[in-house]
Amino acid sequence: MPEPVTPRSDHTHAATLKRLEKASGELAAAAIARMDEQLPWYRAMPPEHRSWIGLVAQAGIAAFTEWFRHPGTPQAISTDVFGTAPRELTRAITLRQTVEMVRTTIEVMETAIDDVAAPGEERVLREALLVYAREIAFATAQVYAQAAEARGAWDARLESLVVNAVLSGEADEGALSRAAALGWSSPDHVCVILGTAPDGDSELTVEAIRRAARHAKLQVLTGVLGDRLIVVAGGSPDPLKAAKSLIGPFARGPVVAGPVVGDLLAANSSAQAAVAGLKACGAWQDAPRPVLADDLLPERAIAGDPAAREQLVEEIYRPLEEAGSALLETLSVYLEQASSLEGAARMLFVHPNTVRYRLRRVTDVTGWSPSDVRSAFTLRIALILGRLTEAEPRS
């Protein structure tokens, strides 16, 4: 098998080099014409983008000519070829389209070898073109890899800004625009999930969250801030289900899901509930993992969370108050009597069945069952906070 022929820059190939230089313009025009004929995506592009691609084709042929002149000199092919077009080109056309563009240009050059090469030097030019095509392939991969890396770093910074805006309550139309640039399509159901970030590379953690989200068909905006892993999840009306599907990448410790809100602009309330729940979670040693921030209302209220105190009063005490004094009185006595129906009935001078009926009404009104230990604790805290609110001087 004959050894490959390496082009040299001496007078041996001077005639071929001269003919190659003369034909460069025609080869570039032929490559562009073939793209227009064979590549539908090229025809559909705006004139500005087509002109960029034309520049790349011309630069590729010119770079091959220079490489053929000095094959022993290292050439920065990616700079010579792709540096002629703006960086936006990597966003305007895909890697597959770039490969098709390069292949078309190389094919045009191959078909012209017999006409361009000096007599007897066809093999030299053909093998030189094969080597150059390999280098162009590597250069193409490098350009797109660098663009993807830069875009990934920029997207990570952008995502961190959006997540931080949600946590700080500064989410506005600008945050919505940034989220949209990251692929966020404004789902109807949004909640914030909070927990401890694992040690190690935060980028790996973020990517693990994204994989879990794709599997669960959720949209996410996520980031690691300090030792916390924050996930803004969209697309599920059930925050506990969303948290369970994303819990894998979190480190050991509590994971708290805030309540569902309507959109990203309202997500701060979910985030604040999750933050308060994470702080108070240590007071409930048997808390499930993940746990809803609303299930931590009593601990949050005791820890000083004003939103939890207001929620307990407005969602438990006020409805009971409006339903009639008998429910409040019965619930209070029942809890004081260690959840004893008979004891409460004796204190209220009513039949135990009456107490049982009123307690069912309490459950219907509040959603919390007095016969459940955890719910009873929540109801007791709500009663205390309601009475304190009633005792406050009115302005």
Side-chain angles (χ1 to χ4, degrees), residues 4-329:
V5 178
T6 302
R8 299 200 306 271
S9 58
D10 56 24
H11 63 84
T12 305
H13 306 305
T16 296
L17 182 60
K18 185 175 181 179
R19 296 173 71 167
L20 184 59
E21 290 173 338
K22 185 178 179 180
S24 293
E26 295 179 3
L27 290 172
I32 294 170
R34 182 171 293 191
M35 287 183 216
D36 190 63
E37 178 186 346
Q38 296 183 353
L39 305 178
W41 58 264
Y42 175 79
R43 293 194 300 271
M45 278 190 156
E48 182 184 16
H49 291 178
R50 289 202 301 271
S51 68
W52 289 349
I53 293 173
L55 286 174
V56 171
Q58 293 173 20
I61 295 171
F64 171 67
T65 302
E66 189 61 27
W67 182 82
F68 189 77
R69 185 195 311 274
H70 303 292
T73 305
Q75 300 289 326
I77 291 179
S78 62
T79 302
D80 291 344
V81 178
F82 296 102
T84 59
R87 183 178 297 178
E88 288 81 0
L89 183 64
T90 56
R91 290 184 181 269
I93 65 174
T94 65
L95 176 59
R96 179 185 60 81
Q97 291 169 340
T98 302
V99 170
E100 291 179 352
M101 174 189 72
V102 171
R103 180 187 294 120
T104 301
T105 304
I106 295 296
E107 287 174 351
V108 167
M109 295 175 69
E110 282 180 330
T111 59
I113 283 178
D114 292 338
D115 296 327
V116 173
E121 296 186 1
E122 293 84 358
R123 180 184 171 203
V124 173
L125 187 59
R126 182 172 288 106
E127 292 191 0
L129 185 59
L130 288 175
V131 174
Y132 182 75
R134 182 194 65 188
E135 297 301 320
I136 278 288
F138 289 147
T140 302
Q142 181 183 24
V143 166
Y144 274 84
Q146 289 173 343
E149 185 176 352
R151 189 158 54 245
W154 171 252
D155 287 351
R157 289 193 293 270
L158 204 61
E159 191 167 8
S160 180
L161 286 174
V162 175
V163 171
N164 190 61
V166 169
L167 280 181
S168 62
E170 298 174 356
D172 54 14
E173 293 298 328
L176 282 181
S177 297
R178 298 186 189 100
L182 295 166
W184 182 265
S185 63
S186 299
D188 293 333
H189 305 98
V190 179
C191 70
V192 176
I193 303 164
L194 205 63
T196 303
D199 296 332
D201 192 342
S202 60
E203 292 184 7
L204 296 178
T205 300
V206 167
E207 184 54 38
I209 288 289
R210 292 198 182 105
R211 285 197 302 270
R214 286 193 294 269
H215 182 73
K217 294 180 172 55
L218 295 173
Q219 295 185 48
V220 294
L221 296 166
T222 183
V224 176
L225 300 181
D227 63 346
R228 289 180 178 176
L229 174 56
I230 302 101
V231 181
V232 182
S236 174
D238 185 345
L240 192 60
K241 182 179 179 180
K244 287 180 179 178
S245 64
L246 301 175
I247 200 170
F250 284 87
R252 295 182 61 184
V255 175
V256 182
V260 167
V261 295
D263 55 33
L264 192 64
L265 293 179
N268 175 253
S269 62
S270 180
Q272 292 304 312
V275 169
L278 193 63
K279 290 180 179 178
C281 203
W284 185 10
Q285 294 185 348
D286 296 327
R289 184 177 186 270
V291 62
L292 293 174
D294 282 357
D295 287 343
L296 287 159
L297 282 174
E299 286 81 7
R300 288 166 52 194
I302 294 172
D305 180 12
R309 293 183 176 187
E310 181 179 358
Q311 189 173 344
L312 285 169
V313 172
E314 295 301 321
E315 294 185 1
I316 294 179
Y317 185 82
R318 295 295 182 208
L320 288 175
E321 187 179 44
E322 293 170 1
S325 59
L327 292 188
L328 274 176
E329 182 184 21

